[in-house]
């Protein structure tokens, strides 16, 4: 079976970017990824764009078709992949499969979203299009409300305090302060986070990721050709995706995230990697509680023990299992369709030892978890510096 | 390399379906495809939903995640694929690649759109989201306007009359009259078509496909397992996609459709089939001129000669190369995301000899062309009764 390698990485700064529209952002990240791979003259076979809401927020459909034109990559195949806030992860999975299937040798994967040009209420209304229209939306359920309820349940079961939870924000802001592409490049204290305004009780402002503009891109190739592009390819070893019941209150145990567990197992099985072999992780901390819940559902730490991993510094940038060295969604920002690709960009930079001041110590393997809906569509990927056992020539 | 077979086919009636929402339509087509394959108890690994505008028209994102829940297919992977009016073709391509890549053994591909519940002006505004916002949309360019300009150019070059062109509508309505799932199940005379109201000069009402609701579904499996599902598998032999410059007037020769030519070549090369070996064809006749232009750009007939193929009956249902035996977009209808899947459903039914009163004579191979944007993103597939040369066990 053919194997897949990342040979180029690109990403815009995330944040409020009033001068760039969605297409500008997608182009900017793409060009950086192509230049990074010295591939500006190489035919690209396919382009997959992860984007959640270009129709609703930007009055554009078929953005992938427009992008190949702007990049002068015609006649490359081009599709937009949409899986809510996990659209980027799904676009990466689509690119990976295109190479594995033998349909393509060189694939550009781009994720992006332009969100800050519309009023906050429109962003809220747009993200509510993910929820069940009758069983959730009509009752006023929003994603922050769901996260608040999950936080309450988790906090009751494991006696979690506001401060315990907000340590996620403190850690991720400390990492983001070292990331020149992060939306927020400043540290925050526990005191400040805990005194920030309530958003959805008990969640405070610092429990929630911001609304951001941004795009991220990866150039993927058949691993057998990776060395003609870069000296430091990063191997996409496994891709796993799983769904859960859409309506949160219909799940057997709303505290569990079985789709996270299943997607993780699928990605690691394909990668032939044990979870204990993972060196650096990007999780989808759209809300602080999600870093807790995902780290435990993935199996990086036992249920109820992420607080200890946080307080002991195990998941800090210099810990044994750095989680969200990029700053995560909390500090890097969360342009929906960009996030899944940006997570993979960070893991690639870390494995290539190109992460600058936020570089973690010598990672050989990495893992990403991109969280769609409210935990009902999860996309995970496992990466390594080395090719898989079948050998980089495709076995 | 693994091969892919269709083992189940499902499709709603197309038309104005006021009692069914988008999710109802997707569920209905899916259940029929699963039942057709006797696969209601079989685990489905992945679901791909082709849909263009659920965000704009239905205020729903992540419709694939919602669908797996409604179908009780959790934890199947699920993604929406969007490529404008070729979203269905792209969803089929995604499902095909998932099996070829070894990521899935059983894949449900669904395409659907719910359009008739909004005013016509909103449909027009939504389809305009495909065009370039500055170079086209701001100037008031609509898809009917582009089709009218293409019609004028073609008509000048090849001395085509209104009647010549409207023979496409007459043929496709005659076919649709025999299709119990078609939006329009009635014949139309050339006289009536030629005296219908002008939409965009020279295009008349009968030059244009209707606005329809509907969904279509296919169950795909690794061909090595096809016989455990059905006695009449249909093999997806090749998948080809290609793009062109987005802005029609920026293309070197606006009369050419090079993406159609390239996508056809890619699909046929993968299928190892010559175009002369194709027995039945579904083209994307959103406007009558497109059946002309696509048939010629695919290479089924030489440039400028489709008129002759039409007038001699060569592309009629009982001709040597039936084109759009389903009724095409003109009569079957065109719920954007559904169309590409519905085209493949028709070819599958024809190859299985299950097309009822519109059955063509003993086809062994078939071909579909799904047309995105205004010819700037084309998805073609080639099908056959028999597996490819590598053998049905996957070679």
């Amino acid at each position: 079976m053919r194997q897949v390698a990342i040979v180029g990485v690109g990403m815009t700064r995330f944040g409020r970017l009033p001068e760039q529209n969605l297409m500008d952002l997608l182009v900017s990240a793409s060009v950086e990824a192509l230049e990074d791979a010295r591939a500006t003259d190489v035919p690209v076979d396919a382009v997959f764009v992860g984007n959640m809401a270009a129709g609703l927020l930007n009055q554009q459909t078929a953005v992938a078709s427009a992008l190949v034109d702007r990049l002068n990559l015609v006649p490359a195949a081009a599709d937009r992949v949409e899986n809510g806030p996990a659209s980027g992860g799904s676009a990466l999975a689509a690119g990976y499969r295109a190479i594995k299937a033998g349909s393509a040798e060189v694939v550009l994967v781009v994720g992006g979203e332009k969100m800050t040009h519309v009023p906050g209420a429109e962003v809220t209304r747009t993200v509510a299009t993910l929820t069940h229209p009758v069983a959730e939306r009509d009752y006023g359920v929003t994603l922050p409300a769901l996260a608040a309820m999950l936080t309450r349940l988790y906090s009751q079961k494991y006696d979690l305090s506001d401060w315990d939870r907000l340590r996620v924000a403190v850690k991720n802001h400390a990492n983001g302060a070292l990331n020149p592409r992060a939306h927020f490049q400043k540290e925050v204290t526990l005191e400040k986070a805990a005194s920030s305004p309530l958003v959805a009780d008990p969640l405070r402002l610092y429990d929630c990721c911001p609304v951001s503009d941004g795009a991220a891109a990866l150039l993927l190739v058949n691993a057998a050709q990776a060395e003609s592009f870069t000296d430091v390819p990063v191997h996409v070893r496994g891709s796993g995706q799983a769904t859960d019941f859409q309506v949160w209150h219909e799940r057997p145990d709303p505290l569990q995230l079985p789709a996270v567990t299943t997607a993780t197992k699928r990605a690691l099985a394909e990668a032939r990697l044990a979870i204990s072999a993972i060196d650096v992780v990007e999780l989808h901390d759209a809300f602080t509680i999600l870093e807790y819940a995902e780290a435990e559902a993935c199996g990086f730490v036992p249920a109820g023990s992420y607080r200890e991993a946080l307080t002991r510094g195990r998941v800090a940038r210099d810990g044994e299992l750095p989680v969200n060295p990029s700053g995560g969604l909390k500090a890097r920002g969360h342009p929906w369709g960009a996030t899944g690709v940006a997570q993979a960009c960070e893991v690639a930079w870390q494995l290539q030892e190109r992460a600058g001041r936020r570089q973690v110590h010598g990672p050989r393997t990495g893992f990403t978890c991109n969280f769609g809906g409210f935990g009902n569509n999860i996309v995970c990927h496992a990466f390594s510096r080395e090719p898989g056992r079948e050998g980089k020539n495709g076995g």
Side-chain angles (χ1 to χ4, degrees), chain A residues 191-208:
Chain A
E191 292 75 7
K192 183 173 176 191
S195 61
S196 64
L198 274 173
V199 171
D201 192 3
L203 300 187
R204 296 181 178 276
L205 185 64
Y206 277 95
D207 283 296
C208 309

Side-chain angles (χ1 to χ4, degrees), chain A residues 40-321:
Chain A
T40 47
D41 294 330
V42 172
V44 170
D45 300 309
V47 177
F48 294 97
V49 177
N51 167 270
M52 173 174 164
L56 285 163
L57 295 182
N58 313 103
Q59 289 72 55
Q60 277 190 274
T61 52
V63 289
S65 308
L67 181 65
V68 289
D69 175 341
R70 296 305 178 282
L71 292 172
N72 208 17
L73 296 180
V74 168
D79 285 311
R80 171 181 167 227
V81 183
E82 189 257 312
N83 175 17
S87 297
S90 285
L92 172 55
Y96 171 83
R97 286 191 301 262
I99 292 173
K100 297 280 269 191
S103 303
E105 296 294 312
V106 180
V107 174
L108 180 66
V109 171
V110 195
E113 208 84 40
K114 174 72 185 175
M115 304 168 66
T116 68
H117 61 298
V118 299
E122 193 170 332
V123 172
T124 304
R125 198 165 57 237
T126 301
V127 78
T129 60
L130 286 170
T131 58
H132 192 292
V134 177
E136 296 179 313
R137 210 184 316 165
D138 283 357
Y139 291 95
V141 171
T142 62
L143 287 228
L146 289 167
M149 290 192 279
L150 179 65
T151 300
R152 283 184 182 277
L153 278 180
Y154 187 100
S155 302
Q156 277 167 14
K157 181 160 181 180
Y158 296 113
D159 193 27
L160 200 74
S161 72
D162 284 1
W163 281 48
D164 290 331
R165 196 179 69 238
L166 286 161
R167 278 184 213 285
V168 170
V170 172
K171 168 179 71 69
N172 291 352
H173 269 267
N175 293 343
L178 304 177
N179 184 351
R181 310 196 198 217
H183 189 156
F184 297 130
Q185 299 174 29
K186 58 174 185 185
E187 301 203 14
V188 63
T189 62
L190 257 180
E191 292 75 7
K192 183 173 176 191
S195 61
S196 64
L198 274 173
V199 171
D201 192 3
L203 300 187
R204 296 181 178 276
L205 185 64
Y206 277 95
D207 283 296
C208 309
C209 68
V211 172
S212 316
D213 305 323
L218 296 165
L219 194 72
L220 306 183
V221 302
N222 179 345
Q225 271 99 60
E227 280 172 15
S228 65
F229 293 89
T230 179
D231 299 332
V232 281
V234 170
H235 295 269
V236 188
R237 293 279 299 276
S239 177
Q241 184 174 6
T243 48
D244 198 353
F245 303 108
Q246 185 186 14
V247 178
W248 186 61
H249 63 254
E250 288 179 355
R251 297 180 201 166
D253 179 353
L255 248 185
Q256 301 300 313
L257 295 173
V260 173
T261 307
T262 303
T264 302
K265 284 183 178 161
R266 288 175 173 176
L268 291 175
E270 196 164 279
R272 303 187 196 181
L273 287 170
I275 195 158
S276 57
I278 298 297
D279 294 329
V280 62
V281 179
E282 287 278 310
L283 298 180
H284 190 110
D285 57 323
F287 303 98
T288 47
I289 195 67
L290 292 185
E291 190 171 303
Y292 270 78
E294 289 167 30
E296 296 175 6
C298 289
F300 288 110
V301 298
S305 72
Y306 194 67
R307 169 174 43 197
E308 192 187 338
L310 263 177
T311 49
R312 292 201 177 185
R314 189 178 160 216
V315 292
R317 207 172 53 252
D318 58 356
E320 63 188 271
L321 182 68

